[in-house]
Amino acid sequence: MWPVILVGLVTAGSLLWWAIPAQDPLARLAAAHTFFEAGELVRSAREAELAYEWSEGDSVTRGAAAMVLARIAEAHDRLPEAATWYDRVPDLSPDAPTARLSAGMLYADPLHRLGDSIDRFTSVLRVDPGSLPARRRLAQMLGLANRNHEAQPHLVALVRLGNISHLELLLLILGEETIDSAEVLGPYRSAAPSDPHPLIALARLASQSDDTKKANQLLEQAIAADGTLVEPVVRLGELLVQTGDLRGLLKWEQQLVTSEVREHPGGQVVRGDMFRLAGAPRRAAVCYLEAVRRDPNRPEACYRLGRILVGLGDKAQAAVFLDRARRVEAYIQAAKVAESAEAVDDLIRRSRDLGLAWEEYAWSGLQIRVRPEDRSLAEKLPQLAETLKGLPLQRTRPGANPAEGLDLSSYPDPELDAELIARLDRPSGTGSGVVDVEIRFEEISKAAGLDFQFVNGARRPEDIRFMYQTTGGGVGVLDFDHNGWPDLWWTQGTTQPTDSGGSHSDALYLNIGNGQVLDVSLQAGISETRFSQGLAVGDVDSDGFPDVLVANLIENQLWMNNGDGTFTPSELAGAGQKRWTTSCLVADLDGDGLPDLYEVNYLAGDDVFSRRCQGPDKKPGICTPQTFEGATDRILRNLGDGRFQEVSSRWKLERPGGSGLGIVAARLGDSTPLGRLDLFIANDTRANFLYRPPSSSKGISAEAWEEIGLVRGLALNDAGRAEACMGIAAGDVDGDGRIDLFVTNFLDETNTLYRQNERGGFVDFTRAAGLESPSRDQLGFGAQFLDLDLDGVLDLVLTNGHIEETGPEGRPFRMSPQVFLNDGSGRFQLVSADQLGKFFEGKYLGRGLARLDFNRDGAPDVAISHVDRRAALLINRTPERGHHLVVRLVGTSLSRDAIGTTVAYRLGKRRVVRQLTAGDGFQASNHRVLLLGLGESDSVPAVEVTWPSGRVQVFEGLPLDGEVVLVEGRAESFGLPAPESIGR
């Protein structure tokens, strides 16, 4: 039976073939469809080719024939041929939208031709704006090509169409922060070498790896390949700003900036940066304002406009844009980690507050999918949809853009004139970058008898699973027995975060003075068995003996020095309240002469010590800080009778939105009231805090501190981004007499150097200082400025180490510590590990880092705590170093510790300024002495001391290479006996 049927089909097909009129395209097309449905693809292709050939001028028939041929090619897996036939469908054919969509799909994935896919999806939307697949794939491809700004309206359209996924919503929100992958981009680059789109994304990867030369080449190739593309021009401008290439920016502005570039918010940000570098702040402000007008959700545009307005004296308007930058950045960070329903509720609130109506609707829609029983949300969603009617396809609701309320029409037009051209047409100042000094350290912990290792509850470092296991312990320097030699207190963890009576305890090591230390914890009465973090040293009761505040996971402890070599625990206010304190501070904060206590608290939540989260691979991993609420800090005011009063709320220091890891107390500007200190708090993934103390003239608000981090430029980096901040180093790095701040950050971020300007503001100077490139592949913790070769210039030492082992294919886990030498202008050069000593050739999980002069030879030494090995004590063995003077300070009119005292002297034409600070960054407390490098000077110059009270004294004739005590109000200095030279 079957053979008969088969013969019949063949015969019918043959008759059909002979029955088709010659050169009749419609008949040939019908035959092609018949053969196609019968599975006779070869004969179908022959008929379709004839139909295509004979239908010139007939868009309908020619388009239908090309569609058949495309589908036949796809069926035979001849994908390039299929895409070509889809492209041959005429624009006037009713099949054109389907053909362009199909071609775009082929170009996007199997053929990896990024530019062609973008072109095809774009053409679909010209004739069919409601095409959901075209919108979705175009947004994805534009994102892959780093054309994020152009992807925004398509992603908003997906919201309007009611079909946006969580990942696509993140693409809309993250924008410039989306992550590129060389593995993903590689096939696109190989498949279409002349396509400029992969070059844009690859240039960004090269820039992030600090291969600026490669990034520049890739962008120039992309511009040459397609001069109509705006994104590579904008990216090139950003790169020129990052490298400080003034002449390159001038050429960029004169030759590449078109009207399309000026319409791009990123292009206006670059132009603003150019005018800022050229010293034209008003022109810069106009550009930044235009960038915000076009996209108010770029933190860098809002932040830089705010900073410019601060400098121009318009603080009221500046606050609007600085606050916008902070809130947008917080929204971005929260969106990255939102998993729970509570987190999505928070994003709904944040998007509403920012005027992001489409995103509020999208988050609400996603929420209803996981909470279908939520009747209030179900009722709210249609109401939200109603408010969206008529809104343009842009993220921000009309009326919610802060740029609409600022008029800068009185400012000059942002155009170059002859003077500005002259300023830009010059070589970029990069400094010498050459430091011809040999720096050497010797690690002596084993030889000295220091045998301390932190316990965090993990069987081994590779088994770290919880956040509390990542932060490690701290180290503090104190002369607890008042014999002139610095001793070391190391904080210890436990096997469980809530343990309070375990076998592990903090350790106090006595410096014998001969290069050896002894563990005297038991003799000193120290039994600190809670899970400890950092610590702070200070003379709480002004008896001349240093006391110690220990930060713990659950409850902190103050240890009072009895003056006889022992300590007694003192109960603090609020006992029993669970807090995760990381770093802490002992310093007089209200100017009454009594040191107060500041506790930097990290994260809060019932499950903060037990929660596990999923990594990108869906495997259990360590949670991120954004997973939890930030904890508020606590301040305990010293009442002078052994008691403390919590004043966090009264002093307005109980500020939400923090996740503190580091703290420094110092006088950071001339506007700081006499007798008071500023407080800088480094927050993890949230905006940093800078607290300015009140002055006595503020009446009823005399106790309220003011948070001014945004206004002063310390809250975010120059891109308006919050970073995962940890360690802090404070000191004058550029010789202008003002305190600068260096902050360590997470992997793939950069550490940040904030240089203070003459107006008391801070500027992100990281790249220009040579500190960006060496830090991007590091995860920094403790850091200190110290004059390693005693030439009067502050150098930099920091310790690094990841928080989690990600496997052989992941990121580096253990990392080498780093030393940077300062050329005197505030520009640094990384010293090769093999020049520093054997310790620096190793890799560790470094955490706390404190500076001290362990052997009292006048040169700064370093103590480092680790997670994976015993603590390290590094002795400075630099062979060629300058003379020195060691200064100990004793205050009399205010706090005995004299925190905030500055010491200044001259070395040739250079004025050297040093300040005694407290807090000391991440979980550390430094040796409370000032080591003054004197270089080749054959005598000690006059030393000017400005005490916190404002009293100024000048001391002359101090001993070269000596050690002195300076007491406030006493005209004479008190020399200390020179210790025996040990290994100098």
Side-chain angles (χ1 to χ4, degrees):
M1 183 65 180
W2 282 108
V4 174
I5 295 174
L6 182 59
V7 169
L9 286 173
V10 172
T11 303
S14 301
L15 292 173
L16 179 63
W17 172 266
W18 290 108
I20 298 174
Q23 296 192 358
D24 183 348
L26 286 176
R28 296 294 178 181
L29 179 61
H33 279 297
T34 301
F35 286 129
F36 186 87
E37 293 299 326
E40 296 188 54
L41 299 186
V42 174
R43 300 179 74 179
S44 175
R46 186 182 303 120
E47 292 299 305
E49 287 173 355
L50 291 171
Y52 183 86
E53 180 182 348
W54 295 342
S55 61
E56 185 175 358
D58 180 358
S59 299
V60 175
T61 304
R62 174 162 280 205
M67 290 293 289
V68 172
L69 290 165
R71 286 167 179 160
I72 291 172
E74 277 195 273
H76 286 105
D77 205 28
R78 300 195 301 267
L79 301 184
E81 181 184 337
T84 299
W85 277 115
Y86 282 130
D87 284 343
R88 291 180 180 178
V89 174
D91 292 337
L92 296 179
S93 167
D95 290 313
T98 303
R100 303 294 177 264
L101 181 63
S102 299
M105 295 293 188
L106 289 175
Y107 287 133
D109 291 324
L111 297 180
H112 294 105
R113 288 165 58 175
L114 190 51
D116 286 332
S117 70
I118 290 172
D119 178 70
R120 302 311 184 271
F121 293 135
T122 301
S123 67
V124 173
L125 295 177
R126 290 196 194 102
V127 296
D128 183 11
S131 173
L132 186 63
R135 287 281 186 191
R136 172 163 285 117
R137 294 312 305 271
L138 179 57
Q140 294 170 357
M141 294 299 102
L142 287 171
L144 187 59
N146 273 218
R147 294 169 63 179
N148 306 94
H149 177 66
E150 297 171 70
Q152 284 188 14
H154 304 294
L155 292 165
V156 172
L158 292 179
V159 180
R160 186 182 63 183
L161 293 168
N163 204 301
I164 192 169
S165 69
H166 188 182
L167 286 177
E168 288 162 344
L169 187 53
L170 285 179
L171 179 62
L172 174 62
I173 295 167
L174 298 184
E176 303 301 310
E177 282 206 359
T178 52
I179 299 174
D180 297 316
S181 168
E183 288 75 19
V184 172
L185 292 167
Y188 290 93
R189 175 76 166 120
S190 300
S194 61
D195 185 355
H197 291 87
L199 303 180
I200 306 171
L202 290 169
R204 183 182 176 195
L205 286 173
S207 178
Q208 290 174 340
S209 300
D210 287 289
D211 191 345
T212 55
K213 182 178 180 181
K214 180 180 179 181
N216 191 290
Q217 292 173 343
L218 290 168
L219 290 171
E220 288 184 345
Q221 290 175 28
I223 294 168
D226 187 346
T228 66
L229 286 176
V230 172
E231 200 64 41
V233 176
V234 173
R235 299 283 180 175
L236 179 60
E238 292 172 349
L239 187 65
L240 295 169
V241 171
Q242 291 170 4
T243 56
D245 187 349
L246 301 183
R247 283 180 172 168
L249 276 172
L250 177 60
K251 179 181 177 182
W252 178 85
E253 170 74 11
Q254 293 176 329
Q255 299 181 14
L256 296 177
V257 173
T258 61
S259 59
E260 290 79 12
V261 173
R262 293 188 180 210
E263 291 172 2
H264 192 296
Q268 288 293 356
V269 170
V270 174
R271 297 188 74 238
D273 293 338
M274 178 188 67
F275 285 114
R276 182 179 59 168
L277 292 172
R282 285 177 168 79
R283 286 178 169 88
V286 175
C287 294
Y288 292 141
L289 178 62
E290 185 60 28
V292 177
R293 183 173 289 117
R294 295 182 178 281
D295 187 354
N297 304 302
R298 285 181 172 250
E300 74 277 16
C302 295
Y303 189 67
R304 290 172 190 171
L305 176 57
R307 297 292 304 134
I308 286 284
L309 293 174
V310 168
L312 294 173
D314 193 347
K315 293 185 179 180
Q317 287 286 357
V320 173
F321 294 95
L322 292 173
D323 181 65
R324 177 84 186 186
R326 178 187 60 79
R327 290 190 294 131
V328 169
E329 173 61 12
Y331 175 55
I332 292 171
Q333 295 298 332
K336 288 180 179 179
V337 296
E339 294 181 355
S340 66
E342 292 77 13
V344 176
D345 282 339
D346 178 60
L347 290 170
I348 293 172
R349 177 188 60 80
R350 290 180 186 274
S351 55
R352 180 172 58 251
D353 291 346
L354 288 166
L356 305 175
W358 293 105
E359 287 158 54
E360 180 189 1
Y361 178 70
W363 284 121
S364 300
L366 291 176
Q367 189 76 305
I368 200 79
R369 296 179 196 174
V370 296
R371 290 202 324 221
E373 75 285 353
D374 190 333
R375 294 185 60 184
S376 63
L377 191 59
E379 293 172 358
K380 177 185 175 184
L381 206 58
Q383 298 172 5
L384 282 175
E386 192 66 26
T387 66
L388 298 176
K389 289 182 178 179
L391 288 185
L393 292 181
Q394 60 187 38
R395 291 184 66 190
T396 309
R397 178 190 294 274
N401 189 331
E404 298 171 13
L406 179 61
D407 181 10
L408 297 183
S409 59
S410 62
Y411 282 27
D413 290 336
E415 303 295 340
L416 291 173
D417 55 27
E419 181 181 353
L420 293 178
I421 290 174
R423 292 181 191 175
L424 292 169
D425 191 16
R426 57 186 173 84
S428 303
T430 58
S432 68
V434 176
V435 185
D436 187 18
V437 177
E438 181 184 358
I439 303 295
R440 300 290 294 180
F441 281 96
E442 179 186 1
E443 206 283 293
I444 68 163
S445 59
K446 185 175 182 180
L450 174 61
D451 187 17
F452 178 84
Q453 185 161 340
F454 187 77
V455 174
N456 66 357
R459 185 173 59 86
R460 57 186 187 132
E462 288 77 6
D463 296 329
I464 290 175
R465 294 294 181 266
F466 301 98
M467 289 195 69
Y468 72 86
Q469 297 174 329
T470 68
T471 49
V475 54
V477 184
L478 69 164
D479 181 7
F480 81 94
D481 55 355
H482 224 297
N483 69 348
W485 293 89
D487 310 304
L488 291 165
W489 184 306
W490 303 88
T491 63
Q492 181 60 282
T494 64
T495 55
Q496 294 294 327
T498 55
D499 283 353
S500 59
S503 59
H504 303 287
S505 173
D506 290 12
L508 175 62
Y509 282 85
L510 172 69
N511 184 348
I512 301 175
N514 63 354
Q516 298 289 302
V517 296
L518 288 177
D519 184 347
V520 295
S521 311
L522 184 63
Q523 296 88 332
I526 297 169
S527 180
E528 181 56 81
T529 56
R530 297 180 179 90
F531 199 119
S532 299
Q533 299 282 266
L535 74 165
V537 176
D539 190 355
V540 172
D541 54 3
S542 300
D543 65 351
F545 290 91
D547 310 300
V548 178
L549 173 64
V550 176
N552 292 312
L553 291 188
I554 301 297
E555 198 168 298
N556 302 328
Q557 182 68 66
L558 177 64
W559 290 88
M560 298 300 296
N561 191 332
N562 299 318
D564 59 0
T566 66
F567 288 80
T568 299
S570 177
E571 184 174 328
L572 297 174
Q577 298 178 14
K578 294 183 178 181
R579 305 173 197 83
W580 182 353
T581 303
T582 51
S583 297
C584 51
L585 170 73
V586 176
D588 179 12
L589 299 180
D590 58 357
D592 65 354
L594 300 172
D596 309 300
L597 312 180
Y598 191 110
E599 301 172 349
V600 179
N601 294 319
Y602 188 33
L603 302 172
D606 294 337
D607 59 351
V608 72
F609 299 130
S610 59
R611 186 170 179 179
R612 296 290 305 281
C613 296
Q614 283 188 345
D617 57 0
K618 302 302 181 182
K619 295 180 180 178
I622 297 174
C623 298
T624 64
Q626 303 99 318
T627 308
F628 303 95
E629 290 185 11
T632 56
D633 296 346
R634 188 173 78 137
I635 298 85
L636 299 175
R637 181 173 179 262
N638 191 341
L639 299 179
D641 58 1
R643 294 179 302 130
F644 294 86
Q645 176 188 26
E646 183 170 353
V647 293
S648 316
S649 179
R650 200 170 89 198
W651 287 8
K652 305 298 182 185
L653 290 169
E654 195 177 38
R655 184 179 179 86
S659 49
L661 286 176
I663 184 171
V664 160
R667 289 181 57 83
L668 292 179
D670 295 336
S671 61
T672 306
L674 288 176
R676 308 301 291 271
L677 299 167
D678 302 300
L679 295 172
F680 176 65
I681 314 296
N683 286 319
D684 189 2
T685 71
R686 295 173 170 95
N688 300 321
F689 296 151
L690 174 61
Y691 291 115
R692 174 57 48 87
S695 65
S696 58
S697 62
K698 290 192 176 181
I700 60 173
S701 300
E703 293 184 323
W705 291 58
E706 183 182 8
E707 202 291 301
I708 58 173
L710 278 169
V711 175
R712 292 302 174 92
L714 287 172
L716 309 169
N717 67 11
D718 189 52
R721 303 290 185 183
E723 297 175 291
C725 304
M726 286 160 281
I728 312 169
D732 176 16
V733 302
D734 53 355
D736 63 0
R738 295 182 285 268
I739 297 296
D740 309 301
L741 296 170
F742 174 84
V743 181
T744 60
N745 296 314
F746 208 77
L747 192 74
D748 288 333
E749 298 176 336
T750 70
N751 298 330
T752 306
L753 175 64
Y754 296 99
R755 275 183 29 178
Q756 189 174 175
N757 60 30
E758 66 278 2
R759 297 184 300 275
F762 290 81
V763 178
D764 183 343
F765 206 74
T766 311
R767 178 177 285 271
L771 293 169
E772 182 179 75
S773 176
S775 65
R776 194 175 291 279
D777 60 351
Q778 301 292 323
L779 198 164
F781 276 91
Q784 301 293 342
F785 287 129
L786 58 177
D787 185 354
L788 293 174
D789 54 351
L790 300 175
D791 63 349
V793 174
L794 288 178
D795 308 303
L796 176 64
V797 177
L798 58 152
T799 185
N800 304 303
H802 211 310
I803 62 172
E804 182 178 21
E805 172 61 86
T806 55
E809 302 301 323
R811 298 304 187 94
F813 186 41
R814 292 172 174 82
M815 299 174 178
S816 297
Q818 294 173 302
V819 172
F820 294 87
L821 287 185
N822 186 346
D823 70 0
S825 70
R827 293 180 174 87
F828 292 82
Q829 177 181 320
L830 179 65
V831 182
S832 175
D834 59 10
Q835 299 178 28
L836 293 167
K838 185 177 180 181
F839 176 81
F840 287 86
E841 297 179 19
K843 296 182 184 296
Y844 319 99
L845 302 179
R847 294 300 185 257
L849 186 152
R851 65 172 184 257
L852 73 160
D853 183 9
F854 178 77
N855 55 2
R856 293 177 64 189
D857 66 350
D861 308 312
V862 176
I864 303 177
S865 67
H866 295 105
V867 172
D868 60 332
R869 54 153 286 164
R870 72 173 68 198
L873 180 56
L874 304 174
I875 302 302
N876 190 338
R877 302 296 192 193
T878 299
E880 299 293 332
R881 61 190 189 219
H883 293 287
H884 69 271
L885 175 68
V886 179
V887 174
R888 300 171 185 250
L889 299 166
V890 178
T892 57
S893 61
L894 292 172
S895 170
R896 181 186 180 95
D897 287 338
I899 304 300
T901 301
T902 60
V903 173
Y905 59 99
R906 287 200 169 275
L907 283 182
K909 296 181 179 179
R910 183 183 184 87
R911 185 170 186 264
V912 181
V913 177
R914 299 287 180 261
Q915 185 177 146
L916 189 66
T917 62
D920 304 325
F922 178 76
Q923 301 187 172
S925 192
N926 291 330
H927 194 183
R928 291 286 176 260
V929 299
L930 294 179
L931 306 181
L932 308 183
L934 302 177
E936 298 179 357
S937 178
D938 56 5
S939 63
V940 178
V943 174
E944 179 185 277
V945 179
T946 303
W947 301 93
S949 63
R951 173 181 284 166
V952 179
Q953 292 181 262
V954 178
F955 295 88
E956 297 183 296
L958 298 176
L960 188 68
D961 296 328
E963 188 172 356
V964 297
V965 178
L966 303 181
V967 180
E968 182 182 9
R970 300 290 293 271
E972 72 278 16
S973 63
F974 298 88
L976 296 179
E980 294 180 2
S981 179
I982 301 174
R984 165 120 186 188

